[in-house]
Each structure stands twice: as structure tokens, then as C-alpha cells.
Amino acid sequence: MGSILVFGASGQLGQCLAHVAQERNIPGIVFPPEAQANILDVSGLQALFAEHKPAYCINCAAYTAVDKAEDELELARKINRDGVENLARLCGEHSTTLIQISTDFVFAGTGNTPLVETDAAEPISVYGLTKLEGEQVIPAHTSQFFILRTSWLYSEYANNFVKTMLRLGQDRDEMRVIWDQTGTPCYAIDLAGCILTIIESQSQQYGIYHYSNEGITSWYDFATAIFELSGTLVKTVPIRTAEYPTKATRPAYSVMDKTKAKTVLGVAIPHWRTSLAVCIGRLG
């Protein structure tokens, strides 16, 4: 099958890939340290590709500070667009399949029906714009790519909404949480499983896919479920987005349709509450 190079190995999804790869006993998966795997360092990337001759390159590296990005367009663009282009160019030169992680933030989120891969991408934040630009630079360099758009990512690793709610819930009796943003959480362990299934099946059904867990929820209902499933006694109070202003505008509705991933890639996708219960069980 050839080796698998993972960029962004120390991040949330990188750690989940390491966990699932070990569970599945997948050989040849390489997690180079950040110092050797800077996606902006072309000569360093060339050395890694020459050494490992990867069949697959998984890019989990990204600028993900959504609000800070509003003030750091150039840095966000360097990482989310230029870094992706560096990898895509090398993947094309080495006949390596690129698996790029993208986001629901490429959409404006003004609709009310689940988004399919061919829906117009109209980002309303710098983060969303630079992630979309990262998607757009790939096809000029390689036709062997999978772009996986995901949303509301969480796990037992790194910083995320679930761990933040559980931490804050230890000290508070009440939490005010936004109820008018609708989407679907994604357990990063499940996304890692999807990525590795693509590789194990040696699929050549290249293109853009949507992947999150099944179902639809709001941040308010997500938080309520976190406290309920963990046995944390916290009252959740629904608030509107306008009551919690942030620098970057978030999509109001970013539920993604996963039909293509299920039918073409053959992946099974659990409901978000099922996966949340698994994660909380592991955190407990």
C-alpha cells in the first residue's frame, strides 16, 4: 500500500488518526514532528517525500483560530492555501494521493436544507475563505485527491467544545449557549476512521466529500447533551448569536448531507449522540 504521511500530527485529528491506526494495526503510517513537517517549508517537505515515498498524504495542518483569522488574513492564507498548494504540488510529482481536511465554514449558512458537495461555497469569514482557497488550489497540481469537509470537531484530544463544556461545568451552575446556529458535531475519531477506510479500500473515487456525524443540532442542544450524558448538573440557557458577539461571523445553518460519502466511499456514520456518548465514556 505504501507509506502514509500525516501533517499536523500533534493536533486533534492527527492524534485521533494515531489512535485509530493503532487500533486497526495499519502499517507504514508516519507522524513526523512539526519541526520536520512544516507545510510552508518546501525543502523540508521535499526531503520527507523523498525519504518516505508516500502513497498517501493526509493534511490535518491548518490555521483554525476562527476569530483571530479576521486580523491575520495573510498568516491564515499562508497556512490554509499556500501550505496546501505545497503539498498538492509534491503529491502530483510523486503520484501521492492527497487527503485534505476542509470545513463547513466554506458555506454562507443562509439556507435551511442540508448542504451537498456541489452547493455554492460562499464563505463569510477569513477562516472559511482561506480554507476554500486551499480546496481550490489542489486540482491544478494533482487529480488524486479527497477533500473532506467536516464540522464541529471534538474528541478526547486537544481543545474543543466538549472538553471546554465539561471543564466549565465543574465550576458553574448555569451556562448560556447559542441556540440559533444549527449544524452537526463530528467526533474526530469517526473522521479518522473514515480517512483510514478510504486508504484501506484504496478508493480512487476522488473529489469533495462531506463528513460529520448524522443528525442535526444546535450548540445549545449539543451542550445540554454533553451535560446530560456526563451526569454534570448544569442548567443550560439558550441565547441568540447576537447576544454573544464574535469577530468572525459563523454560518447559521451548516448541516452537511453525507449521502455521497456513505454511497460512494461506503462509510457507516453514527448519530452524533451515539458518538458523543462514546467520547464522554472515554473521557470519564
Side-chain angles (χ1 to χ4, degrees), residues 13-232:
L13 183 55
Q15 292 182 72
C16 289
L17 280 164
H19 177 101
V20 178
Q22 187 173 25
E23 273 189 343
R24 295 194 188 179
N25 199 25
I26 293 175
I29 187 162
V30 182
F31 297 89
E34 307 290 310
Q36 294 173 23
N38 182 346
I39 61 173
L40 301 180
D41 175 9
V42 174
S43 61
L45 294 178
Q46 288 171 333
L48 278 172
F49 272 73
E51 179 186 354
H52 296 289
K53 299 177 175 56
Y56 291 88
C57 166
I58 306 171
N59 183 32
C60 308
Y63 181 110
T64 58
V66 175
D67 290 313
K68 276 183 74 177
E70 295 297 310
D71 296 319
E72 296 184 345
L73 168 62
E74 287 186 19
L75 178 58
R77 183 168 273 154
K78 271 185 185 175
I79 298 168
N80 291 343
R81 183 194 68 187
D82 299 351
V84 174
E85 187 163 30
N86 292 338
L87 290 176
R89 187 178 289 113
L90 279 165
C91 284
E93 291 171 5
H94 290 261
S95 297
T96 301
T97 298
L98 174 62
I99 300 178
Q100 166 69 14
I101 309 305
S102 193
T103 173
D104 59 327
F105 275 60
V106 301
F107 295 110
T110 52
N112 58 8
T113 54
L115 293 149
V116 296
E117 289 80 357
T118 52
D119 283 334
E122 299 170 326
I124 52 175
S125 66
V126 166
Y127 168 66
L129 172 66
T130 59
K131 289 296 286 183
L132 177 61
E133 289 173 345
E135 293 185 8
Q136 292 170 335
V137 295
I138 294 170
H141 301 288
T142 178
S143 58
Q144 292 176 228
F145 66 86
F146 294 89
I147 294 169
L148 301 180
R149 292 174 179 155
T150 192
S151 59
W152 301 23
L153 211 60
Y154 72 92
S155 69
E156 49 269 46
Y157 302 103
N159 296 316
N160 55 68
F161 185 77
V162 171
K163 289 174 73 177
T164 298
M165 288 298 105
L166 290 172
R167 187 183 75 249
L168 294 176
Q170 299 303 311
D171 306 317
R172 301 188 189 181
D173 299 323
E174 183 177 289
M175 291 286 296
R176 291 159 56 82
V177 189
I178 291 168
W179 69 267
D180 58 350
Q181 288 177 25
T182 306
T184 311
C186 182
Y187 186 27
I189 289 284
D190 292 338
L191 176 58
C194 172
I195 292 166
L196 294 173
T197 294
I198 289 170
I199 293 171
E200 286 180 305
S201 67
Q202 298 184 41
S203 173
Q204 295 183 4
Q205 299 295 317
Y206 304 122
I208 298 174
Y209 292 86
H210 289 170
Y211 188 94
S212 66
N213 285 118
E214 293 282 32
I216 297 174
T217 194
S218 69
W219 289 108
Y220 164 76
D221 290 302
F222 188 24
T224 302
I226 292 165
F227 296 134
E228 178 189 313
L229 290 168
S230 64
T232 307

